[in-house]
């Protein structure tokens, strides 16, 4: 599709790579998350233990001024602030999405130094249910969608390309 910079499909298992469909920015697994062929609802996905498993994506994803991130998430519950995705090199220069921020809200945050901008839904993601999540940033506004419904919008002027040194 036009405008897609990176897209990851988990339909087939790979040793340690997460294949980027356009073929530019493969990711690499950390801590051996478990791959499942299906669960009767979704085909091909990774399950993470919530502690020390993740996928490292190409740093060039933070070189973008505008972006939309979408994911199907089946959250298993657990402690607050588990990142579904986290881009950045430090907690004070990053962007991330969490199914529950500790106050019962699914939250997207972007942090640059002392500034934090956040979009929060009034609910946490449901536990044990596949839920489609999307975050769109255009350089002035951010929008959070859950299940195809806009649940939060607001000023998000911090851009992904401001988080890391130029690639």
């Amino acid at each position: 599709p036009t405008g897609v910079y990176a897209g990851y499909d988990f339909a087939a298992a790979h040793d340690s790579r997460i294949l980027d469909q356009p073929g530019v920015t493969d990711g690499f697994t950390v801590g051996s998350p478990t791959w499942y062929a299906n669960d009767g609802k979704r085909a091909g996905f990774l399950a993470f233990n919530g502690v020390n498993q993740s996928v490292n994506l190409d740093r060039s994803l933070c070189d973008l001024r505008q972006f939309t991130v979408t994911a199907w998430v089946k959250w298993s519950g657990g402690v607050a602030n588990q990142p579904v995705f986290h881009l950045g090199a430090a907690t004070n220069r990053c962007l991330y999405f969490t199914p529950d921020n500790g106050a019962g809200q699914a939250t997207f945050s972007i942090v640059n130094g002392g500034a934090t901008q956040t979009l929060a839904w009034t609910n946490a993601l449901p536990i044990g249910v596949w839920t489609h999540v999307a975050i769109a940033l255009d350089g002035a506004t951010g929008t959070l969608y859950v299940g195809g419904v806009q649940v939060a919008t607001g000023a998000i002027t911090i851009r992904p390309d401001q988080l890391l040194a130029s690639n």
Side-chain angles (χ1 to χ4, degrees):
T2 302
V4 173
Y5 183 77
Y8 304 95
D9 182 3
F10 301 97
H14 295 277
D15 290 341
S16 62
R17 282 185 11 196
I18 305 303
L19 299 179
D20 174 28
Q21 297 307 297
V24 179
T25 60
D26 289 350
F28 297 91
T29 59
V30 175
S32 301
T34 304
W35 178 78
Y36 291 93
N38 69 65
D39 70 349
K41 185 86 170 174
R42 301 278 317 157
F45 62 92
L46 289 176
F48 302 89
N49 65 10
V51 179
N52 60 357
Q53 295 176 335
S54 62
V55 172
N56 283 346
L57 298 176
D58 191 86
R59 71 165 319 284
S60 68
L61 294 172
C62 270
D63 290 342
L64 305 172
R65 291 178 163 266
Q66 303 173 0
F67 77 16
T68 299
V69 173
T70 65
W72 282 98
V73 179
K74 186 177 182 183
W75 185 44
S76 297
V79 299
N81 293 308
Q82 295 175 40
V84 170
F85 69 84
H86 178 280
L87 295 172
T91 57
N92 68 340
R93 294 178 70 86
C94 65
L95 59 85
Y96 62 94
F97 174 77
T98 182
D100 184 350
N101 65 2
Q105 300 172 319
T107 303
F108 167 80
S109 293
I110 188 166
V111 183
N112 189 2
T116 301
Q117 297 174 340
T118 300
L119 299 170
W121 185 31
T122 55
N123 301 305
L125 287 189
I127 295 172
V129 175
W130 283 108
T131 306
H132 190 263
V133 176
I135 298 102
L137 304 178
D138 68 8
T141 303
T143 307
L144 172 62
Y145 300 88
V146 176
V149 176
Q150 179 181 311
V151 296
T153 190
I156 301 287
T157 56
I158 302 170
R159 299 184 323 257
D161 69 332
Q162 296 171 325
L163 302 178
L164 299 175
S166 296
N167 192 9

